[in-house]
Amino acid sequence: MGETKTKKTPRAAKAPASQRAEVWRVVVLNDPVNRMSYVVMVLRRVFGFAEERARKHMLEIHEQGRSVLWSGTREQAEAYVFALQQWHLTAVVQPEPAA
Amino acid sequence: MKRVEIKLNISAVAPLLDVIKQAADDLRGNLAIRATFPENDEEFNETWTSELLAGQNSDVRELLGLFGSEFFAEGSIAIDSHNSDSLLRGCSALRIQILTHWLQGIPADLLEEEDVPPEAIADEVRVPFAAYTFLDQVQKIILEHLDPTAAEA
């Protein structure tokens, strides 16, 4: 594995057009192992967040059990989730609820 | 290039390596955290898993490589900006596996404490708990001294 690069998701863009058109969320769930400073570091690396924003999400994960990190295209959401799983964070892609 | 050398007590670390190596063996064909897949596509999910597994195995190998003959001769491990990412991920994977295999009965608040008295941990899981804590301390040192994002903060 590369040292700092984020691997591309293995997914080829093949979701149906109806799915591609939706907005998708990247959600990180709490886990009992990874230390807080590790989670902050991973969020900064993967999303390019500033320290303060990464810390806010980390606390949300810790206190509420989950945090929505990003929303946008399905393909980019999958790439983020793959990168987070490489760092052993529990991350899922979810469709954004309709307004 | 930043480099950190950690001097360790060989006789204290050696028993922990048995646990760490067993956890590494357990992880060879399994992900530390079960992957969640965004697609309902078997082929895609297999690719997703195999790529995560390849990365995990590479990271764990990098970590085990720190504890080769040189460690037993010198009693120290060296970490630099080239191997720090792999080592951070390797520590995380191994800690998850140690928790899953040996430490399920330990309360979460105890697992998060830094200075747990040995008597608070049952005899049969003291060594795995020490290995779990040791890997946490290695991660902590890397994050404090070699994390490039921390330097920007």
Side-chain angles (χ1 to χ4, degrees):
Chain A
M1 178 184 292
E3 292 299 323
T4 55
K5 68 183 176 188
T6 299
K7 267 189 190 173
K8 278 188 178 176
T9 173
R11 174 178 186 271
K14 57 184 176 183
S18 60
Q19 289 188 350
R20 286 203 303 271
E22 294 172 10
V23 177
W24 295 80
R25 288 172 161 183
V26 174
V27 180
V28 173
L29 308 177
N30 193 27
D31 73 70
V33 174
N34 291 306
R35 62 166 46 244
M36 291 181 183
S37 55
Y38 177 85
V39 175
V40 169
M41 180 276 298
V42 173
L43 299 185
R44 297 193 70 193
R45 291 283 190 91
V46 172
F47 295 98
F49 289 164
E51 169 85 12
E52 194 180 346
R53 186 172 176 193
R55 186 161 288 280
K56 176 184 153 293
H57 282 291
M58 178 275 294
L59 288 172
E60 202 169 273
I61 294 165
H62 187 66
E63 290 162 6
Q64 297 175 29
R66 69 199 298 272
S67 180
V68 177
L69 272 296
W70 186 87
S71 59
T73 64
R74 183 179 180 123
E75 191 170 29
Q76 184 59 55
E78 289 182 3
Y80 279 136
V81 165
F82 187 78
L84 291 164
Q85 290 185 5
Q86 284 183 301
W87 286 93
H88 309 291
L89 298 194
T90 305
V92 294
V93 177
Q94 293 178 344
E96 184 121 314
Chain B
M1 180 179 68
K2 277 190 179 177
R3 186 173 188 272
V4 176
E5 194 169 312
I6 308 171
K7 195 84 180 160
L8 297 164
N9 180 329
I10 296 171
S11 60
V13 172
L16 312 185
L17 294 179
D18 293 337
V19 171
I20 290 169
K21 282 174 184 165
Q22 189 179 333
D25 286 344
D26 294 343
L27 285 177
R28 201 163 294 141
N30 300 293
L31 291 172
I33 286 186
R34 198 174 58 170
T36 55
F37 306 113
E39 300 280 343
N40 188 17
D41 175 331
E42 199 174 321
E43 190 182 337
F44 167 73
N45 294 347
E46 272 177 26
T47 307
W48 182 285
T49 303
S50 65
E51 290 198 15
L52 286 176
L53 196 55
Q56 179 183 278
N57 284 335
S58 168
D59 293 336
V60 169
R61 268 198 309 275
E62 184 85 37
L63 193 136
L64 291 180
L66 292 178
F67 300 98
S69 53
E70 202 171 319
F71 165 71
F72 284 99
E74 315 251 332
S76 63
I77 57 174
I79 299 167
D80 60 37
S81 43
H82 286 118
N83 64 3
S84 58
D85 278 7
S86 271
L87 297 176
L88 282 168
R89 289 188 295 259
C91 285
S92 181
L94 288 163
R95 293 185 74 230
I96 291 165
Q97 183 57 29
I98 291 169
L99 175 71
T100 305
H101 189 126
W102 286 281
L103 307 179
Q104 289 290 342
I106 297 182
D109 55 340
L110 213 53
L111 289 169
E112 286 180 12
E113 275 184 36
E114 295 224 346
D115 294 312
V116 179
E119 60 273 17
I121 305 297
D123 283 352
E124 63 273 19
V125 291
R126 264 185 207 164
V127 175
F129 183 78
Y132 181 84
T133 306
F134 169 67
L135 292 170
D136 181 51
Q137 292 305 307
V138 172
Q139 253 190 347
K140 186 179 175 184
I141 290 169
I142 297 172
L143 287 167
E144 283 178 357
H145 297 281
L146 292 165
D147 173 23
T149 60
E152 294 159 15

